[in-house]
């Protein structure tokens, strides 16, 4: 099922997600719906806050199109399984540590900020310990686009947004669009009352 994606200005996007303790059917269903929604929006990651749930849950799928070389390295539980075996991936209760603090810059977008893009500096290498929808623990180490995607999504789970880290010049460039999103969200929330 495709869910509605929350937009900047809705308070849920600033909420810290609650840790997940029940690894039940409804959790698997929510993760599935989030994957459907991510594909429908042509995104590579989606956090629970973006479907109006303040939980420690996000989904990612950073597989490149067929024939395109994978632009990052990774290890999953100490191995390099084909991406098709591990993506889409639901990441629950993640704990991220930085393994390579070298800063890298990349132009990011976010499904909760339609039309907004800007340069964001992030460390290159991450290690993410998390649980899957059945509660099994995993360790995912990654750099490049996958590392960045993990950091962007885990930020969402803690109420942090990419505009908080966006380079000042790019933030300025997007100011009018961001204000407009906020206005639209206010009107939307009013109409829901
Ligand atoms: Zn985002």
């Amino acid at each position: 099922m495709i869910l509605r994606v929350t937009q900047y200005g809705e308070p849920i996007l600033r909420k810290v997600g609650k840790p997940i303790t029940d690894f039940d059917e409804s959790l698997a269903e929510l993760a599935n719906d989030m994957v459907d929604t991510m594909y429908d929006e042509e995104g590579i990651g989606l956090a629970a806050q973006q479907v109006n749930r303040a939980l420690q849950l996000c989904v990612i799928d950073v597989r490149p199109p067929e024939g395109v070389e994978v632009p990052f390295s990774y290890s999953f539980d100490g191995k390099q399984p084909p991406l098709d075996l591990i993506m889409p991936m639901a990441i629950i209760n993640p704990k991220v540590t930085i393994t390579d603090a070298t800063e890298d810059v990349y132009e990011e977008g976010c499904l909760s900020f339609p039309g907004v893009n800007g340069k964001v500096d992030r460390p290159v290498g991450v290690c993410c310990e998390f649980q899957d929808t059945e509660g099994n623990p995993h360790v995912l180490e990654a750099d490049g686009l996958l590392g960045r995607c993990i950091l962007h999504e885990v930020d969402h789970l803690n109420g942090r947004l990419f505009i908080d880290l966006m380079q000042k010049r790019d933030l300025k460039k997007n100011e009018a669009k961001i204000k407009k999103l906020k206005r639209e969200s206010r009107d939307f929330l009013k109409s829901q009352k």
Side-chain angles (χ1 to χ4, degrees), residues 2-140:
I2 290 165
L3 307 170
R4 178 184 163 270
V5 175
T6 54
Q7 189 166 296
Y8 179 61
E10 296 181 46
I12 188 83
L13 286 171
R14 287 299 188 185
K15 291 223 171 101
V16 176
K18 265 211 212 121
I20 287 171
T21 51
D22 292 335
F23 295 85
D24 54 13
E25 192 92 333
S26 68
L27 175 67
E29 202 174 303
L30 174 61
N32 271 333
D33 288 347
M34 285 172 63
V35 168
D36 289 346
T37 306
M38 171 176 71
Y39 290 157
D40 185 58
E41 299 268 343
E42 297 181 2
I44 59 171
L46 190 70
Q49 280 79 349
Q50 294 180 280
V51 294
N52 211 24
R53 308 283 295 269
L55 295 170
Q56 290 292 323
L57 158 67
C58 61
V59 296
I60 59 173
D61 190 340
V62 294
R63 278 176 292 181
E66 216 170 310
V68 175
E69 210 183 312
V70 177
F72 50 82
S73 54
Y74 63 96
S75 96
F76 181 79
D77 294 339
K79 302 185 193 90
Q80 272 92 38
L83 285 177
D84 286 340
L85 285 186
I86 57 171
M87 303 272 168
M89 184 186 283
I91 293 180
I92 295 168
N93 301 332
K95 301 257 176 308
V96 167
T97 48
I98 304 304
T99 54
D100 182 350
T102 314
E103 295 265 313
D104 183 31
V105 65
Y106 187 81
E107 181 148 312
E108 291 188 14
C110 178
L111 296 179
S112 295
F113 289 78
V116 175
N117 292 285
K119 292 195 189 87
V120 176
D121 296 286
R122 294 192 190 270
V124 165
V126 303
C127 176
C128 180
E129 294 175 61
F130 67 98
Q131 286 167 284
D132 62 25
T133 52
E134 289 169 358
N136 305 306
H138 298 286
V139 181
L140 177 62

